[in-house]
Amino acid sequence: MDKILVVYTETLPENFQTALENKQCAVFEYSDKSYESEISSSDAIIIITSSGDSSLQELALSLAMKTTAGILFICPASLLAKIENTMYKGGVYAISSDTQTVVLEHLIKLLCINQTRLMTITNKYNKLQSRIEETKLINRAKCILIQYLKLTEAQAHRYIEKQAMDTRQSKIDVARNILTTYEA
């Protein structure tokens, strides 16, 4: 189940209470800074304000940059018209506080779905980054072997593979050992 963090000013409107029923929510008043401990484990963060408090707008934009959680900023229609473009460019969904409950429920689902997709993409990205770093390390080790042992690229590649098989280590561990030996 998706974990939703709700931060609000003044009182939590009734239509939002209804939309959040049966969901795993942590609900905090903005002045109660203990909500900060819930940020990293939240799948969606909803910020509700009935005023034009710019610190809440900054909070929403900051969270969009720092977390993978979906951010929904809910404010009066008069404020929405002024901040909507800034929020969208910053990766924050912004809607009017007079949004119907059923629409709000769908938006919350959308936030959670997008967060799940973003986490999948982030995990794939991290795996690819790791593989790129490993390849760079192995290539550095090959260059060391070429430089110090006067091997060809193919011979250096074969040397690393053979060492990995013979010592029952991964190619990355063999490459690290080579770098440690020759760069020390």
Side-chain angles (χ1 to χ4, degrees):
M1 179 174 271
D2 299 309
K3 184 171 179 193
I4 301 168
L5 171 62
V6 179
V7 179
Y8 66 96
T9 58
E10 294 89 35
T11 59
L12 191 61
E14 189 175 316
N15 62 331
F16 300 113
Q17 290 176 13
T18 304
L20 296 171
E21 286 177 359
N22 303 321
K23 294 185 176 32
Q24 184 181 350
C25 294
V27 181
F28 295 91
E29 172 139 15
Y30 177 59
S31 61
D32 176 10
K33 296 296 183 187
S34 61
Y35 69 84
E36 293 173 349
S37 65
E38 300 290 327
I39 291 171
S40 64
S41 63
S42 297
D43 298 314
I45 301 173
I46 301 172
I47 300 172
I48 305 170
T49 182
S50 57
S51 66
D53 187 350
S54 64
S55 66
L56 286 166
Q57 296 169 39
E58 291 168 11
L59 173 65
L61 292 168
S62 170
L63 291 174
M65 295 296 292
K66 294 178 185 174
T67 71
T68 58
I71 312 294
L72 178 60
F73 189 80
I74 301 171
C75 62
S78 59
L79 177 62
L80 181 62
K82 296 174 188 170
I83 66 164
E84 179 169 52
N85 286 336
T86 303
M87 290 296 186
Y88 292 154
K89 287 178 183 176
V92 176
Y93 294 100
I95 62 169
S96 171
S97 53
D98 58 5
T99 300
Q100 296 176 352
T101 303
V102 70
V103 173
L104 182 60
E105 288 172 350
H106 288 292
L107 283 172
I108 292 169
K109 286 179 187 175
L110 179 64
L111 274 178
C112 294
I113 289 167
N114 282 343
Q115 189 276 341
T116 301
R117 291 185 69 218
L118 179 60
M119 286 306 301
T120 301
I121 292 167
T122 301
N123 289 338
K124 286 179 182 178
Y125 171 81
N126 290 338
K127 285 178 185 175
L128 288 173
Q129 279 299 113
S130 177
R131 286 180 55 192
I132 289 170
E133 292 305 314
E134 288 177 3
T135 301
K136 285 180 181 178
L137 196 68
I138 291 168
N139 286 339
R140 276 187 38 221
K142 286 182 194 177
C143 288
I144 293 288
L145 293 173
I146 291 168
Q147 179 182 355
Y148 287 99
L149 300 181
K150 308 295 185 217
L151 301 177
T152 65
E153 194 275 335
Q155 290 170 326
H157 180 79
R158 175 71 183 125
Y159 177 86
I160 291 172
E161 282 185 333
K162 185 164 177 12
Q163 283 294 108
M165 285 188 290
D166 291 349
T167 61
R168 293 186 176 145
Q169 292 180 325
S170 67
K171 288 193 288 186
I172 192 75
D173 289 337
V174 171
R176 282 190 186 111
N177 290 338
I178 291 168
L179 292 172
T180 301
T181 301
Y182 289 97
E183 288 186 340

